[in-house]
Structures are given as C-alpha cells and as structure tokens.
Amino acid sequence: MGEAWIIDAVRTPRGRGKREVGALSSVHPQELFAQPLNALRDRTGLDPADVEDVIAGCVTQAGEQGGCIARMAVLAAGWPSEATGVTLNRFCGSGQQATNFAAMGVASGMQDLVVAGGMESMSRNPMGSDKSGLDGHNRHLRELHPLVPQGISADLIATLEGFEREDVDRFALSSQERCAVAQKEGRFNGSLIPVTDLEGRVLLEVDEQPRAGTTLEGLGSLPLSFEEMGKYVQKGDTLSFDEKARKVYPQVAEVRHVHHAGNSSGIVDGAAAVLLASPEYARAHGLRPRARVRAIATAGDEPVIMLTAPVPATQRCLKKAGMTIADIDLFEINEAFAAIPLKVMRDLEIDPEKVNVNGGAIALGHPLGATGAMLIGTVLDELERQDKTTGLVTMCIGGGMGITTILERI
C-alpha cells in the first residue's frame, strides 16, 4: 500500500444560512464549490486536466444541489471536460468521507491526483428540502429503529451522561471564546479564500457566524430547541419522539432537554476542497506535501442515540494506525451539539486543551457536506502553527455512524 499525501486544503468562509441575510445566500451552490476548486488550482499550480476525479460531499442533494453537483461545479469552474466529479452523502460526515475516499484511491495506487471536499448551501437548500424525513418514510424501518431527530438524540446523550445545562453552555462559551482568539490572530487565514460573485465582487472574506462577546448568562437565557419537538407524534405513530427514545433506553425516566441554538452547531453556507496526490506524482510535478493520511475509519452505533459513534470510529482508526490517544497532538471533534465532544473526550480520555483549540461548529457553523473537509484543513493549519505532528478529525453522523481520519505532517 502506498501513501496519500495532502498537498493543500482551502475553504470558503462560512456564511449565515438564511436566505437574503447570509452573505453567501446569493451564490449558487455549484459556484460556491467551484471557487475552492479554482483556489486549489491557483495556489498549487495543478493542471486540472490531470485531476482524475473530484469527490464532493453534499447532504441535501435536491434542487440546485441535485444532479451530481460535483460534476456541475467542475464545469462551472471552467475546468476541462476531462475532469470528472462524483457526489456522495454520508450525512454530516460527507466532506470527510470524500477526503477519505480520495485517500483510498491514491494510496491504493489506482489514482495519482484527486480533489476531495464538499459544499452545502443551507440558505438555498434547507435541511429537509429533499423530503426524505428521518427514515425515508419506511414504516418497517421505523418499527425496527424508531429514529428521532438529532437534537433529541443529543439531549438523550446528555441525559444518560449526566451533562447539565451549565455543562453544555460552558462548552459552547469556550467554542466562541477560542474562535474569537483564532479570528483575532488570523489563525484561519492560511486556508480561507474570499467568495466573490460572478462579476468578481467580494461577498465574504471571514466567517460570518461567530458571536464574539457571548456570555454564559446570555447562553443561559436562550430557549431550549428540542423540548417541544420531543412531545411531537409523527403521523401514523402513537409515541412522541421522547417516548421513542425512552422505549429504546428504558433506564431514562425522562429526556432532559439541554440543547439550544447557542450550544448547537449553526446553520451556514460553505464549501471546501482538499488536494491529494501520490508521492510519485507530487515529486514529478513539484507539488510540496503538507501531510500524509495515516489512517481512516468509520463505525456504527445504536441509531436512536445516533451521535455516539465517533468513539468506536476513533478507536478503530487508532488501531489501524498503530497509535494511541497519547500519540495525537490535536483533535477536531465536530461540535454538532455540545454533548457530543463532551462525551467523546470523556470516553476516550482526551485532554480538552487539545480539542477544537480554535473553536468549532458551535461558533463557526456546520455546512453539512463541507464541514469534514474544512476540519481537515483546520487541524493541518493548527499543527503547522504549533509545529506539532499528528492530528485526528472525527465527526458524528446521522443514522448512528462516526468517521475518523488521522493526519501526520510531512
């Protein structure tokens, strides 16, 4: 087995995911992904005709994001027709899965130059606009696994783990504070590219979502997001979402709801791209590597609680790499909800000072199909800034899955 080298990684700023409010809401999703593609070309000098595939994550593949948006974005970028594209959906882990698939293709020797990444325009293609529901409206599946919305799952995790409202709010405050420092010190600047309109006017240069000046008191005043949802009974069902969760976890007397807009990931627009190459291609074409992919893994867990699988995915990935938690210098654990990184850190005994040191999705937002690729670039930038060696990225995923990638600087 060969190696997969990461040559470069870029991302757009995250824009607020509201139509006519967010700075990126006027940008067609194809054009949004086209911009990091061309940024990679310009930064590295790659010949797009040599790119054997563009693999892109996108969760809501409907409307403007339908029709294999990876290929459409390649064409919108003005790349040659020979450059292909494929779009995948592993829910929130899609951008990271795209990167892992690219690494697999390169390390196997089947490909030499691949671009991976993802995009999500949540202002133009809101969650649920694909009308798939929680379970594809499959009554049989619902009887086997009474799935609940992710916010209910996050509150279920908090209940089982004993995380109080103050615990998740304090974590959220830390995300905002760390992000504020990172923005002030320009820690994201190495990967950030400005987004422009078709006339070349700059629409957004920095992340739009963070709330500098957030306080614990302010977070404590926000209304709970999923308490009323927990009481909802789907058409044709007899149990509410909370009751479904308690049916699977009878040790829970009641689901204690603690998550809200301030300690959950923000809804945003964004795109990211990562260039991976074989050592042979990189050397022959003067491409300087930044890191190698040491190991990749996915794992599943019980689908009603849904968001716990980063733990087994990370354990599997570490085993494949022949490493332990102590060997990892920095971690990016996606902040879908505050309870998720809190549980992962507890279960794997990770030092919180090594986790999301520049904040995470609670502060920055979570453009579903793009986040995983963004985190790859974020941890790589920070490894370089701190002159450290190994980074681990992990994400919780809908349906009870987790995904992990370990990088090593070159």
Side-chain angles (χ1 to χ4, degrees):
M1 184 68 68
E3 288 190 342
W5 284 1
I6 293 178
I7 306 302
D8 204 1
V10 298
R11 72 171 179 90
T12 70
R14 296 164 171 93
R16 293 175 188 167
K18 294 184 178 180
R19 179 75 86 156
E20 298 180 358
V21 174
L24 301 182
S25 65
S26 63
V27 182
H28 193 288
Q30 296 171 4
E31 304 294 342
L32 187 62
F33 187 48
Q35 298 200 34
L37 293 181
N38 282 334
L40 276 183
R41 178 201 61 196
D42 296 342
R43 285 165 55 123
T44 65
L46 72 88
D47 182 352
D50 283 354
V51 175
E52 294 175 71
D53 210 358
V54 174
I55 308 172
C58 181
V59 176
T60 306
Q61 295 184 35
E64 293 177 334
Q65 292 185 162
C68 189
I69 189 172
R71 170 61 172 174
M72 298 303 107
V74 165
L75 298 176
W79 283 23
S81 300
E82 291 79 7
T84 59
V86 62
T87 311
L88 64 87
N89 180 5
R90 198 190 283 278
F91 300 129
C92 296
S94 297
Q96 188 172 350
Q97 184 61 67
T99 306
N100 286 0
F101 275 157
M104 291 165 63
V106 171
S108 71
M110 295 294 178
Q111 296 172 306
D112 282 309
L113 190 68
V114 183
V115 173
M119 87 298 298
E120 205 81 31
S121 178
M122 301 181 76
S123 61
R124 298 170 73 106
N125 299 267
M127 286 186 293
S129 56
D130 59 358
K131 296 181 171 54
S132 62
L134 294 171
D135 48 24
H137 311 289
N138 182 348
R139 177 61 57 181
H140 174 245
L141 175 60
R142 190 173 301 179
E143 291 172 354
L144 292 173
H145 299 288
L147 300 180
V148 299
Q150 287 191 4
I152 306 295
S153 297
D155 285 338
L156 175 61
I157 291 170
T159 301
L160 289 166
E161 295 293 326
F163 298 143
E164 302 293 340
R165 167 77 179 256
E166 185 174 345
D167 297 322
V168 290
D169 281 356
R170 285 192 179 280
F171 182 87
L173 179 62
S174 173
S175 182
Q176 293 284 359
E177 291 176 339
R178 291 180 176 191
C179 179
V181 171
Q183 287 192 308
K184 182 178 180 180
E185 296 183 357
R187 297 185 189 178
F188 300 131
N189 293 353
S191 293
L192 271 178
I193 62 166
V195 176
T196 63
D197 63 17
L198 293 175
E199 284 70 47
R201 292 184 292 265
V202 173
L203 299 175
L204 188 63
E205 294 183 286
V206 298
D207 294 298
E208 191 177 28
Q209 181 72 9
R211 299 291 194 271
T214 296
T215 66
L216 193 62
E217 293 73 22
L219 291 170
S221 69
L222 295 175
L224 297 171
S225 294
F226 308 107
E227 188 171 39
E228 288 303 312
M229 183 184 294
K231 301 173 185 177
Y232 180 75
V233 179
Q234 288 178 288
K235 184 178 180 181
D237 289 351
T238 59
L239 299 178
S240 68
F241 286 134
D242 276 2
E243 289 169 334
K244 287 181 178 182
R246 289 167 48 213
K247 180 180 179 181
V248 179
Y249 293 87
Q251 67 270 41
V252 173
E254 66 173 339
V255 177
R256 291 186 295 104
H257 295 281
V258 296
H259 288 94
H260 51 75
N263 58 33
S264 307
S265 55
I267 294 173
V268 293
D269 303 333
V274 183
L275 178 64
L276 296 98
S278 66
E280 295 76 17
Y281 182 94
R283 293 187 184 107
H285 293 82
L287 297 177
R288 183 177 178 180
R290 298 176 63 189
R292 61 172 59 87
V293 178
R294 277 289 302 269
I296 60 177
T298 57
D301 210 340
E302 197 283 307
V304 174
I305 204 166
M306 193 179 303
L307 307 174
T308 56
V311 173
T314 295
Q315 292 169 328
R316 177 176 287 173
C317 198
L318 287 166
K319 184 177 180 180
K320 288 180 178 293
M323 303 173 77
T324 68
I325 286 292
D327 296 318
I328 306 299
D329 294 314
L330 293 172
F331 298 81
E332 287 290 331
I333 305 172
N334 190 41
E335 297 173 0
F337 303 91
I340 312 310
L342 288 175
K343 177 174 174 54
V344 175
M345 287 188 290
R346 171 184 286 180
D347 287 3
L348 297 176
E349 298 181 348
I350 302 173
D351 180 356
E353 294 304 311
K354 296 181 177 182
V355 176
N356 302 359
V357 298
N358 294 320
I362 289 173
L364 290 157
H366 176 20
L368 306 178
T371 303
M374 288 182 169
L375 295 183
I376 296 288
T378 296
V379 78
L380 184 51
D381 285 345
E382 188 62 18
L383 286 170
E384 292 171 347
R385 189 186 75 84
Q386 294 191 29
D387 195 22
K388 294 187 182 297
T389 304
T390 55
L392 184 149
V393 176
T394 190
M395 304 182 71
C396 60
I397 303 173
M401 297 183 286
I403 186 169
T404 302
T405 307
I406 297 175
L407 307 179
E408 179 182 65
R409 281 181 63 204
I410 297 177

